[in-house]
């Protein structure tokens, strides 16, 4: 049943499952008032406040004291997939935050009434992506830190959709704790919008926000399935490696991952290009800082530097491109929709921006990585090409045929050509 809470409680009362009590959680000028139903069934239950005051920056929902979901924007509502939770009596909690103020939580008794047990997670199969048109490069979209249900996630994912990418790499973080309900709502499963619209072509990695202190990574595994921790996949001319850079991995699993990574790198065919992606950047000029020596992320970087051509990360909510280290170029792309952070001065940076939302668009060919960082309005803010260190190509660039130019902005010109290979010398 999909309905607003006040209407839903009336229907449930007629059906003999009357509304729970109405209550407000208040602190000073900040408040949230809620009248939830007493019984919920199915995956279409909409939970929405009756009212809020004080312009909350978030409304916080809990279930039995554990984090359920945070809603960041008015009307602070969400759709609850109750079939994925155990049936029986529970306590639904709500509070609101604005600045340094968080209201005391109020709780409501609520019963989940579904037949059967919650479904077990499936098994993740790495996505191969779609096949590009003849004589066109493989188009890759990449970015993280955006799945929060906010307006910027809409503009960024709309921009990505306009590229018709062959594959999306999601670089981690579904807000606020990557719960089942947050994947359902903010990643977009409930409505097949936002990032969920690219599910069939997405290869994900897990961010720190997908590790709830109580629930662990159940939302991530529930959405993607088991086996989405670290893995690799090949596309024409490229070997892509997904990794888990979180400390929650633990020493034993971290050692297992490093051994797997070393073996995987050893098996990359000669002449192939290599791209690795994971959440925490080893180089970071932003406020999230860099990983400690000996940490999971630091160990991954020390293994990859000099062996991978490209490393993509999220975590810091900015765009950063660093100078190559032993032939490995690192990008930070944590810009896809949830808040912004500004990098500080850093001599290692080649390009950066901390005041915009956007995503990385890359075109892969067997000899290199052509890239553009595109903001949510379609403006190109950084671009270039990274040749693959292991490329066996020794031929000079082909002269472009049918070269045509078109103004993109006052400071940029777009070029199109019909040369089959996309490694022309322009």
């Amino acid at each position: 049943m999909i309905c607003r809470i006040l209407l839903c409680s009336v229907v449930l009362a007629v059906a003999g499952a009357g509304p729970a009590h109405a209550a407000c959680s208040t602190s000073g000028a900040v408040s949230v008032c809620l009248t939830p139903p007493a019984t919920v069934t199915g995956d279409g239950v909409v939970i929405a406040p009756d009212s809020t005051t004080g312009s909350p920056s978030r409304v916080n929902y809990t279930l039995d004291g554990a984090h359920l979901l945070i809603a960041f924007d008015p009307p602070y509502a969400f759709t609850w997939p109750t079939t994925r939770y155990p049936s029986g009596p529970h306590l639904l909690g709500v509070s609101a935050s604005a600045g340094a103020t968080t209201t005391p939580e109020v709780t409501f008794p609520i019963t989940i009434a579904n037949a059967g047990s919650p479904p077990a997670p499936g098994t993740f199969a790495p996505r191969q992506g779609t096949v590009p048109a003849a004589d066109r490069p493989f188009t890759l979209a990449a970015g993280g830190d955006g799945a929060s249900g906010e307006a910027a996630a809409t503009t960024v994912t709309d921009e990505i959709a306009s590229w018709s990418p062959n594959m999306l790499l999601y670089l981690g973080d579904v807000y606020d704790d990557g719960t089942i309900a947050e994947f359902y709502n903010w990643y977009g499963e409930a409505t097949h919008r936002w990032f969920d619209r690219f599910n069939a072509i997405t290869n994900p990695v897990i961010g720190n926000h997908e590790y709830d202190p109580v629930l662990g990574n159940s939302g991530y595994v529930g959405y993607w399935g088991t086996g989405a921790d670290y893995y690799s996949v090949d596309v024409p001319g490229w070997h892509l490696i997904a990794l888990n850079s979180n400390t929650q991995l633990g020493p034993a699993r971290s050692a297992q991952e490093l051994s797997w990574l070393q073996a995987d790198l050893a098996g990359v065919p000669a002449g192939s290009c290599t791209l690795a992606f994971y959440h925490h950047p080893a180089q970071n000029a932003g406020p999230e800082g860099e990983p400690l020596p000996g940490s999971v992320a630091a160990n991954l970087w020390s293994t990859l530097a000099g062996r991978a051509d490209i490393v993509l990360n999220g975590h810091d909510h900015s765009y950063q491109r660093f100078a190559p280290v032993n032939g490995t170029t690192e990008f930070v792309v944590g810009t896809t929709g949830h808040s912004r952070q500004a990098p500080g001065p850093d001599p290692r940076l080649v390009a950066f921006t901390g005041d915009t939302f956007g995503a990385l668009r890359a075109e892969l060919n067997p000899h290199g990585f052509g890239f553009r960082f595109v903001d949510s309005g379609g403006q190109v803010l950084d671009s270039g090409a990274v040749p693959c260190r292991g490329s066996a190509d020794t031929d000079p660039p082909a002269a472009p045929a049918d070269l045509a130019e078109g103004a993109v902005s006052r400071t940029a010109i777009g070029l199109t050509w019909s040369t089959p290979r996309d490694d022309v010398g322009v």
Side-chain angles (χ1 to χ4, degrees):
M1 181 183 299
I2 301 176
C3 50
R4 298 283 297 184
I5 286 301
L6 288 177
L7 294 177
C8 190
S9 57
V10 171
V11 173
L12 288 169
V14 172
H21 63 282
C24 296
S25 172
T26 303
S27 179
V30 182
S31 72
V32 56
C33 299
L34 185 66
T35 310
T39 302
V40 290
T41 303
D43 288 341
V45 179
V46 175
I47 302 295
D50 303 332
S51 64
T52 59
T53 62
S55 300
S57 57
R58 54 179 63 192
V59 169
N60 318 293
Y61 297 94
T62 64
L63 188 68
D64 301 327
H67 178 71
L68 178 63
L69 175 141
I70 288 178
F72 294 93
D73 283 350
Y76 308 108
F78 72 98
T79 303
W80 190 5
T82 70
T83 62
R84 306 184 193 188
Y85 296 80
S87 289
H90 298 274
L91 281 178
L92 177 68
V94 68
S95 62
S97 301
T101 299
T102 295
T103 64
E105 184 178 61
V106 296
T107 59
F108 308 84
I110 193 165
T111 298
I112 297 176
N114 293 306
S117 301
T123 301
F124 177 73
R127 280 35 172 177
Q128 299 297 317
T130 57
V131 178
D135 298 329
R136 296 304 304 157
F138 189 92
T139 299
L140 185 76
D145 305 88
S148 59
E150 296 170 280
T154 300
T155 56
V156 171
T157 54
D158 284 350
E159 176 62 28
I160 292 172
S162 74
W163 308 340
S164 298
N166 302 111
M167 182 179 288
L168 171 68
L169 305 183
Y170 190 73
L171 303 179
D173 278 2
V174 174
Y175 294 94
D176 195 71
D177 285 347
T179 63
I180 293 169
E182 287 169 336
F183 266 92
Y184 194 72
N185 285 269
W186 308 149
Y187 201 81
E189 183 183 4
T191 53
H192 303 296
R193 61 187 296 208
W194 294 317
F195 300 93
D196 178 84
R197 69 174 107 174
F198 308 112
N199 180 294
I201 60 168
T202 298
N203 285 306
V205 291
I206 187 168
N208 58 295
H209 276 270
E210 282 92 324
Y211 277 104
D212 182 271
V214 176
L215 304 173
N217 62 352
S218 59
Y220 182 85
V221 173
Y223 181 82
W224 291 112
T226 59
D229 195 358
Y230 52 87
Y231 55 92
S232 61
V233 63
D234 292 309
V235 300
W238 282 78
H239 185 67
L240 312 181
I241 308 171
L243 297 163
N244 185 340
S245 58
N246 288 275
T247 58
Q248 291 91 335
L249 195 61
R253 284 276 288 157
S254 175
Q256 183 182 36
E257 179 182 46
L258 277 176
S259 295
W260 175 89
L261 173 60
Q262 290 163 354
D264 189 76
L265 287 169
V268 177
S272 289
C273 306
T274 302
L275 180 154
F277 61 109
Y278 51 95
H279 188 62
H280 300 82
Q283 301 178 99
N284 183 15
E288 296 294 337
E290 296 181 352
L292 295 173
S295 66
V296 180
N299 289 340
L300 293 177
W301 172 252
S302 64
T303 303
L304 291 163
R307 301 181 73 178
D309 300 290
I310 303 292
V311 170
L312 302 180
N313 308 115
H315 194 47
D316 205 88
H317 297 187
S318 59
Y319 171 77
Q320 304 174 56
R321 176 165 62 94
F322 289 89
V325 176
N326 296 330
T328 300
T329 301
E330 184 174 30
F331 294 79
V332 177
V333 195
T335 52
T336 60
H338 181 64
S339 78
R340 292 172 283 195
Q341 295 171 312
D346 192 314
R348 300 171 299 175
L349 279 174
V350 176
F352 67 91
T353 177
D355 59 355
T356 191
F357 295 111
L360 188 70
R361 175 177 178 169
E363 286 160 351
L364 310 183
N365 65 70
H367 313 292
F369 180 89
F371 66 88
R372 285 171 274 177
F373 177 70
V374 185
D375 72 11
S376 56
Q379 296 296 305
V380 177
L381 303 183
D382 184 36
S383 62
V386 178
C388 291
R389 298 177 316 104
S391 172
D393 183 36
T394 58
D395 295 332
D402 303 321
L403 182 66
E405 70 277 359
V408 174
S409 69
R410 294 179 62 187
T411 58
I413 292 176
L415 299 176
T416 59
W417 58 86
S418 62
T419 303
R421 286 194 337 200
D422 198 38
D423 56 352
V424 297
V426 177

